[in-house]
Amino acid sequence: MSETTHEPAPDPEAATAAEVTAVTSGRPPELIALTGGVSLRRRALADADPLNEAVVANLDHLRPWMAWAAEAPTPELSRDLAQAGVTAWDEGTDFMYLAGLDGQPGSVVGAFGLHGRIGPGALEIGYWVSADHTRRGIATAAAARLTEVALALPGITRVEIHCDEGNQLSAAVPQRLGYRLDRVIDYTPTAPAETGRKLIWVRTV
């Protein structure tokens, strides 16, 4: 899991749509089929409650690496964040997806996103997968497709994945996908398992 971008929705403290600039004039596909009967779908307002349930069920799994998982989100917060995600997609600043099982419409086994907060011409991939669906290749398959999708968008020439140096499972994803380790930066940990050293993985056109 890429702990810096695993929010179940865009950062609630991020700038409002009026204060941000679209990172691309294009939009990614709203539905992306993966292997193994799993798909990514654009997160909608109707997903707020099932996503809330998934996050609450996975708090122990997420908490070591995710500062936002310190407390269970309320249904109201999840709905507010869902609306923020819809707005961000429409504005072209963030593109939020849920991973679900094709045989179980509306299911949530993970959350993924393309985030425009790392500067012009770039998107950052964030993700988490539920505890009972890890080690099935979902994160790798999804990150691979999102990398392709991101680099096909107008104006996007760089994709990054950020993770703590101690999060070996997360670091394995960009390694498998041919990302290069661009740099390691020191930061102040905000989650219990973080070491304070962040790996910045990069793919370019």
Side-chain angles (χ1 to χ4, degrees):
M1 57 183 71
S2 171
E3 63 274 7
T4 60
T5 55
H6 276 39
E7 299 89 343
D11 186 343
E13 296 181 357
T16 65
E19 298 170 320
V20 298
T21 302
V23 70
T24 177
S25 61
R27 297 294 181 270
E30 296 191 4
L31 182 65
I32 301 174
L34 306 177
T35 58
V38 178
S39 294
L40 299 179
R41 66 182 186 273
R42 176 184 174 178
R43 196 183 61 200
L45 293 177
D47 292 310
D49 288 343
L51 177 57
N52 178 273
E53 293 173 5
V55 170
V56 171
N58 282 277
L59 282 177
D60 289 344
H61 170 59
L62 298 171
R63 191 173 290 117
W65 304 107
M66 312 290 185
W68 54 260
E71 297 181 0
T74 64
E76 292 76 18
L77 175 60
S78 293
R79 286 191 283 273
D80 288 345
L81 293 175
Q83 179 60 65
V86 170
T87 300
W89 183 297
D90 291 340
E91 294 291 336
T93 59
D94 285 83
F95 308 103
M96 312 297 293
Y97 290 91
L98 295 179
L101 304 178
D102 295 342
Q104 299 178 29
S107 60
V108 176
V109 298
F112 292 77
L114 292 171
H115 304 279
R117 60 191 176 196
I118 57 173
L123 286 166
E124 179 186 350
I125 297 178
Y127 50 87
W128 64 264
V129 176
S130 62
D132 56 353
H133 284 81
T134 58
R135 301 182 185 274
R136 301 188 187 187
I138 294 174
T140 300
R145 287 290 291 119
L146 289 175
T147 300
E148 296 171 359
V149 164
L151 291 176
L153 290 169
I156 300 301
T157 60
R158 187 176 83 256
V159 183
E160 297 185 1
I161 294 176
H162 299 183
C163 66
D164 188 87
E165 188 175 57
N167 194 339
Q168 297 181 0
L169 289 178
S170 182
V173 171
Q175 288 178 299
R176 293 189 193 104
L177 300 180
Y179 279 67
R180 64 179 173 83
L181 180 59
D182 184 72
R183 60 197 184 278
V184 181
I185 61 175
D186 294 329
Y187 73 104
T188 301
T190 58
E194 290 178 334
T195 66
R197 287 175 56 81
K198 184 182 297 182
L199 308 181
I200 310 297
W201 300 89
V202 176
R203 277 278 297 273
T204 56
V205 173

